[in-house]
Amino acid sequence: MTELKKSNEAYTDKDREYEYSGLCVNGFAMIFFTFVLIPALIAVSIAYGGEENLWLSLGVTTPLFIIFILGCCGYFVQEPNEARVMIFFGNYRGTCRKVGFYWANPFMTRRKLSLRIRNMDIDPIKVNDRVGNPVMIGMVLVWKIKDTYKVVFDLDSNSLGAAGGINNAALDRFVRIQSDAALREVTGHFAYDNTGTNGDELTLREGGEEINELLERKINERLAMAGMDAVEARINYLAYAPEIAAVMLRRQ
């Protein structure tokens, strides 16, 4: 039992987001090395190699040229509220949140993610309330990425229509699907309006902040597994479905 507990703790500690601590050099310092020093060494080896030392010259310039090409591939610019998930031949090496111009190992895959707040308008959907009446309900959702590890490694990009890896469209699709499911769940627990059996009954029409807080909590439960966080969720449209709207309004 103790060994199983230690194994679970090790798994949890390994599969989580942490700060990238590998090689990450100031980009302006590397410009001198890549575009000044290496080209100068190549020029000197060609100039002084001559025909007599042709093979020696090639032996020097070829590795330098390869280093020059690789050096050009390591630069990246990162703005505030952006992050890069650093992956080295399939191994997660951490998440880089540094802001500025940097150079990193050119063999390192850098998955760029935006940590900025995003806004989503969920179009009204038809759902049955607690008493079975069809209602049209829509909402506005504000969300952001919280855990970059879960976003990159726990989401299947192919199922979200992003075969080349996670992108903004794939994330929007996932959030929209989960928000739709949460909205349907919450709507099914309440009646649109007071049914008359209980004067203190919480309804969709009069619930206000309580309904919104419950909706936000349900969405967060679904988004947390993929490393995302619902900052705010608000119902912005609520009405009876067109087929019963006239009857229900006369009854009210």
Side-chain angles (χ1 to χ4, degrees):
M1 191 72 178
T2 305
E3 292 181 359
L4 179 61
K5 183 178 180 181
K6 289 181 179 179
S7 176
N8 289 336
E9 288 177 353
Y11 178 82
T12 304
D13 183 64
K14 178 183 177 183
D15 297 324
R16 61 177 179 81
E17 178 189 287
Y18 55 85
E19 190 68 24
Y20 175 68
S21 58
L23 180 65
C24 192
V25 184
N26 185 287
F28 295 103
M30 284 300 296
I31 284 179
F32 172 79
F33 178 80
T34 305
F35 296 99
V36 178
L37 184 59
I38 293 180
L41 290 174
I42 293 174
V44 169
S45 63
I46 293 174
Y48 289 93
E51 296 182 359
E52 303 84 8
N53 300 316
L54 179 61
W55 292 108
L56 178 61
S57 177
L58 288 175
V60 174
T61 56
T62 301
L64 288 174
F65 182 74
I66 293 173
I67 293 173
F68 171 75
I69 297 299
L70 291 175
C72 294
C73 300
Y75 294 97
F76 67 94
V77 178
Q78 189 152 277
E79 299 177 359
N81 281 324
E82 285 185 349
R84 277 175 169 79
V85 176
M86 313 297 274
I87 307 169
F88 187 67
F89 291 103
N91 293 320
Y92 174 64
R93 296 299 189 187
T95 298
C96 179
R97 297 172 183 263
K98 295 180 179 179
V99 176
F101 180 44
Y102 292 97
W103 183 93
N105 186 340
F107 294 104
M108 190 82 67
T109 301
R110 303 181 292 270
R111 297 278 181 85
K112 182 180 177 180
L113 294 174
S114 173
L115 306 180
R116 293 162 181 163
I117 293 175
R118 313 185 196 193
N119 192 59
M120 180 176 290
D121 188 4
I122 309 295
D123 294 330
I125 57 175
K126 184 187 292 187
V127 189
N128 289 337
D129 67 0
R130 185 174 60 81
V131 296
N133 294 323
V135 299
M136 300 296 295
I137 185 168
M139 71 172 180
V140 171
L141 176 65
V142 181
W143 64 280
K144 65 179 181 179
I145 291 177
K146 186 177 181 180
D147 190 318
T148 59
Y149 179 93
K150 290 183 178 180
V151 169
V152 173
F153 297 107
D154 287 357
L155 278 178
D156 184 2
S157 59
N158 291 323
S159 66
L160 297 171
I166 291 297
N167 55 32
N168 289 332
L171 293 177
D172 285 345
R173 179 174 172 79
F174 177 83
V175 173
R176 193 174 295 276
I177 292 172
Q178 296 303 322
S179 301
D180 184 283
L183 185 58
R184 291 178 185 275
E185 180 184 355
V186 171
T187 304
H189 283 85
F190 302 96
Y192 175 90
D193 206 354
N194 199 303
T195 58
T197 57
N198 184 3
D200 297 328
E201 179 183 14
L202 186 64
T203 63
L204 294 171
R205 192 163 71 93
E206 298 177 354
E209 288 299 319
E210 293 182 60
I211 299 293
N212 289 330
E213 289 175 5
L214 177 60
L215 179 60
E216 184 178 321
R217 187 166 68 250
K218 290 295 182 181
I219 294 174
N220 265 321
E221 290 175 1
R222 294 173 177 272
L223 297 186
M225 60 182 174
M228 287 173 273
D229 179 49
V231 179
E232 184 181 34
R234 294 281 181 234
I235 293 175
N236 68 340
Y237 183 90
L238 180 64
Y240 281 114
E243 59 267 27
I244 67 164
V247 175
M248 298 308 294
L249 287 173
R250 280 200 301 270
R251 183 179 297 178
Q252 289 178 2

